[in-house]
Amino acid sequence: LSGYHFFKGSMKELSPNEGVLPYDLVTPLFSDYAHKARFVWMPKGAVATYTQDEIPEFPVGTVLIKNFYYPFDFRDERKGRNIIETRLLIRKTDKWDALTYVWNKEQTEATLNIIGDTKSIDWTDTKGVQMHVDYSVPNKNQFKTCHSFNGDLIPIGPKVRNLNHDFSYTDGKKNQLDQWVAAGYLTGYNK
């Protein structure tokens, strides 16, 4: 995963590099209590086109990055986290491609995994109760099943209606669609 250079500094911090924009969704899907850190990257000069209430028309080369992790203690995320996997959806010329990277125990790197995996995860919930889950990392075909529409692999989360809310960026809270426009990642959107 480090070869993409999406993150700067220590990989486990998930600090976005220049040109990598964090985002979240109004209504994220439940994933065995895992938290998600989402990012988008587009090639320099590339821009997505706004489509009302649908997924923007992303340019070739776009990468949607979704990291699945568990805070060690849900009561205080400053105590650290265990990143399990990073899923990439990559916009190719004629389709989207799905790749899953599984993180090592040291949280220094994630390697491509197309066959899936099961990870034993322990954490403390918001009430101080010790929790456990056998987390399933999907194989390539399972990943495609979740993101299939009319037989094609597509992103399902970043619909305009799911992005149209405030997000706390490092320089303050802003509407995500406005931020995508300001970053040069979205065209055709007007309030």
Side-chain angles (χ1 to χ4, degrees), residues 4-108:
Y4 286 98
H5 304 288
F6 293 136
F7 306 111
K8 61 186 175 185
S10 175
M11 284 273 291
K12 69 180 181 181
E13 299 305 321
L14 300 178
S15 297
N17 227 329
E18 185 177 335
V20 178
L21 191 63
Y23 72 94
D24 68 5
L25 306 177
V26 172
T27 54
L29 297 175
F30 178 77
S31 301
D32 287 335
Y33 301 99
H35 290 203
K36 297 169 191 146
R38 293 177 171 85
F39 302 88
V40 59
W41 177 87
M42 291 183 210
K44 193 170 184 84
V47 63
T49 303
Y50 171 84
T51 56
Q52 188 174 358
D53 293 330
E54 292 301 323
I55 296 168
E57 291 179 27
F58 288 105
V60 171
T62 297
V63 182
L64 299 174
I65 308 155
K66 185 165 47 171
N67 303 279
F68 292 76
Y69 68 92
Y70 287 83
F72 296 130
D73 188 335
F74 279 43
R75 298 168 299 179
D76 185 358
E77 289 197 34
R78 294 173 298 181
K79 292 182 178 179
R81 62 184 167 197
N82 182 7
I83 308 169
I84 309 304
E85 62 168 315
T86 298
R87 298 180 191 174
L88 304 181
L89 275 177
I90 303 171
R91 182 71 176 121
K92 303 287 186 172
T93 303
D94 59 343
K95 65 177 183 168
W96 286 89
D97 193 18
L99 301 174
T100 299
Y101 289 79
V102 176
W103 284 73
N104 64 16
K105 194 161 81 171
E106 298 78 25
Q107 302 285 274
T108 56

Side-chain angles (χ1 to χ4, degrees), residues 132-143:
H132 175 85
V133 68
D134 289 326
Y135 181 94
S136 293
V137 176
N139 65 40
K140 194 164 177 87
N141 288 333
Q142 290 167 324
F143 190 158

